[in-house]
Amino acid sequence: MPTKSSRFYSPTQPPSLSMSELVCKTLDHDATDVLIDKWLEHRNDAYWDWFMHVRERRHSALHALKRGEQLLAWSKGDFVPENIFMRTVDTARLIPLDRTWTTHVYHHRSMQDRKLSMMPVVFTMLPELMLLRGMHDHGCDDIFIIVTDMKRAEMDAATEYFKFVCQYTFGRAVKQDTEREIHYRHARLKHTLEHQRRTPCFPQIDLIFRAILYERRPPFIVLFSHQTTSYSQIFFTHPLFVPAAEIFFDFPSGCPNPCCTEDCEMIRFPRHGLDGAAVLPLKRGRRRGSFRRVRAREMCNWIDCDVAFSGNVPVGEASSKCSSSTNGKGSMDTVRPAVRGQVCSKCKLVRYCSAEHQRKDWEEHRRLCVKPVQIENTDV
């Protein structure tokens, strides 16, 4: 691991997490469980109403036929994460939202000196983080949040900068003209944040942001503004990881103002799909420094099974309950061929490779399994 003295920071060169001067506060799975329990205890009516609408809509025969699409379903039981299921984008499994995660919160040392806790930062975005984590079967056991005090206009400028840098530096040789443009945009943001006395400074934000991308390969990164009116930006590393607009078009913003509009600074979840999401244009392929290609596939719904029905999956790849997301580098040397599988005859939403695995998964799947709502064709 490179040390601070052995690496020179540059906006166009891959940085290292060891070079950062920011403080990292890690909230483990137990801390996440505590926050979820607290969130359920102090229920927010806006989120409660939204989940109730999800339950009322349920799944239709159309969703049953299109098993590869995103789906959020709550069919039975009380309002708890273990009864709310979400289809993962990488394995197409329907898995409950009760899986916790580890959160790494990077912040300026002045917040630590003031003894400010990082748990409120995670608690503020808990519903969003729970849903984003639920979209992934593998590689999402770690979530990364960078705390700043940028205002919305500054956050938007930083968003455009990171899109530009990722487009021309990840897995690519930087051209001279592009390098000059990157340095210019970097200097302009650095000057703006220094003039407004923002902490941390922009070089530290840029360093930690790109270091996380290079070393950890996460599905998304959150920039959180610790202002009086919170505002945050979620950066996705692939379009497939963006929540579907068909599901989240009416997702609440979290703002207590009943007159909240689309311009409210509390809005952070991409409710309109790709149209309102910040997706980093990262190069993918086998070249060193590029991200691994993302391939959606459908697997047996039993969490410990590695059988795929479409595409191939690495043999022995860890399940979502014990997977490691430190770098997203799984071995692709040995693969199983695709098989047909059997669809659940009742809900028609999941598929299994054998009756044995269906029986093993029933204790969990029974909390979701209901007959789909039939769509009637009527002539207008």
Side-chain angles (χ1 to χ4, degrees):
M1 179 68 69
T3 61
K4 294 181 181 179
S5 60
S6 63
R7 296 291 302 274
F8 174 75
Y9 166 70
S10 169
T12 58
Q13 296 298 321
S16 170
L17 285 172
S18 63
M19 299 167 60
S20 174
E21 296 179 359
L22 300 186
V23 179
C24 179
K25 172 64 177 179
T26 299
L27 304 180
D28 59 13
H29 292 252
D30 293 335
T32 305
D33 282 332
V34 171
L35 291 176
I36 293 175
D37 291 340
K38 183 179 179 181
W39 182 71
L40 291 172
E41 181 181 352
H42 301 84
R43 190 182 70 198
N44 185 299
D45 289 338
Y47 291 105
W48 166 260
D49 292 341
W50 184 82
F51 276 104
M52 285 300 297
H53 292 158
V54 170
R55 183 169 187 169
E56 291 168 0
R57 290 194 293 259
R58 295 171 63 179
H59 63 272
S60 64
L62 181 63
H63 283 125
L65 293 175
K66 297 182 179 180
R67 285 185 296 272
E69 293 185 350
Q70 291 185 29
L71 176 65
L72 183 69
W74 172 26
S75 301
K76 304 177 182 178
D78 299 329
F79 179 59
V80 290
E82 67 179 11
N83 290 330
I84 303 173
F85 287 71
M86 195 166 190
R87 191 186 303 284
T88 60
V89 298
D90 49 349
T91 61
R93 287 173 172 148
L94 272 171
I95 301 178
L97 296 181
D98 62 347
R99 298 177 301 159
T100 55
W101 63 88
T102 298
T103 311
H104 307 276
V105 186
Y106 291 87
H107 58 281
H108 192 258
R109 61 180 179 274
S110 61
M111 298 185 68
Q112 187 178 41
D113 296 339
R114 288 180 287 166
K115 298 182 179 180
L116 296 177
S117 174
M118 291 297 104
M119 294 189 73
V121 173
V122 181
F123 186 79
T124 301
M125 298 191 65
L126 192 59
E128 290 85 354
L129 295 179
M130 195 183 308
L131 291 170
L132 291 173
R133 193 268 179 271
M135 289 180 60
H136 300 270
D137 193 356
H138 306 286
C140 205
D141 289 333
D142 291 90
I143 291 177
F144 301 90
I145 301 177
I146 304 172
V147 179
T148 73
D149 59 358
M150 290 188 290
K151 292 187 176 181
R152 181 164 187 167
E154 298 160 350
M155 185 79 78
D156 292 342
T159 299
E160 294 305 314
Y161 168 81
F162 286 125
K163 286 182 179 180
F164 185 81
V165 170
C166 290
Q167 180 178 1
Y168 293 104
T169 61
F170 273 78
R172 297 176 173 90
V174 185
K175 296 181 180 179
Q176 189 174 8
D177 292 344
T178 304
E179 185 174 1
R180 283 198 298 265
E181 178 66 19
I182 290 174
H183 280 280
Y184 169 73
R185 295 191 182 194
H186 182 277
R188 187 173 58 181
L189 275 167
K190 177 177 179 291
H191 173 75
T192 300
L193 296 190
E194 285 181 350
H195 180 71
Q196 298 295 334
R197 299 178 182 269
R198 305 292 185 218
T199 55
C201 63
F202 186 72
Q204 282 296 321
I205 297 174
D206 175 58
L207 190 157
I208 198 67
F209 186 94
R210 293 189 297 116
I212 292 172
L213 287 178
Y214 275 107
E215 296 187 8
R216 308 305 291 271
R217 301 292 202 271
F220 60 90
I221 299 179
V222 180
L223 273 185
F224 182 89
S225 179
H226 205 278
Q227 289 278 343
T228 304
T229 302
S230 301
Y231 177 73
S232 56
Q233 181 67 276
I234 304 172
F235 293 85
F236 298 92
T237 57
H238 193 275
L240 188 66
F241 302 154
V242 178
E246 294 78 8
I247 301 175
F248 300 98
F249 66 94
D250 57 348
F251 189 76
S253 67
C255 180
N257 185 357
C259 300
C260 177
T261 65
E262 291 287 335
D263 296 327
C264 176
E265 289 196 347
M266 288 291 289
I267 296 176
R268 51 187 168 268
F269 201 75
R271 299 182 297 172
H272 305 295
L274 289 173
D275 292 339
V279 182
L280 300 174
L282 299 166
K283 183 178 176 60
R284 297 181 180 273
R286 297 182 178 180
R287 182 174 177 176
R288 184 178 180 182
S290 62
F291 267 55
R292 183 178 295 279
R293 291 188 179 95
V294 175
R295 178 176 53 192
R297 58 198 174 201
E298 183 180 5
M299 297 182 64
C300 174
N301 206 65
W302 170 235
I303 198 68
D304 291 327
C305 181
D306 60 3
V307 173
F309 305 123
S310 58
N312 294 325
V313 62
V315 172
E317 188 175 74
S319 72
S320 62
K321 294 185 179 179
C322 60
S323 63
S324 172
S325 60
T326 55
N327 53 21
K329 299 176 181 177
S331 173
M332 297 295 292
D333 295 334
T334 309
V335 295
R336 290 185 185 275
V339 296
R340 290 179 60 86
Q342 301 172 344
V343 177
C344 176
S345 60
K346 187 175 182 179
C347 69
K348 303 186 185 302
L349 288 174
V350 296
R351 192 183 296 191
Y352 298 96
C353 66
S354 64
E356 178 186 0
H357 282 189
Q358 185 175 14
R359 286 193 297 269
K360 289 182 177 180
D361 191 50
W362 177 245
E363 182 63 26
E364 186 171 274
H365 180 62
R366 67 182 178 85
R367 302 196 299 268
L368 170 72
C369 191
V370 296
K371 291 184 178 181
V373 178
Q374 298 297 323
I375 299 177
E376 297 181 1
N377 295 322
T378 57
D379 297 330
V380 180

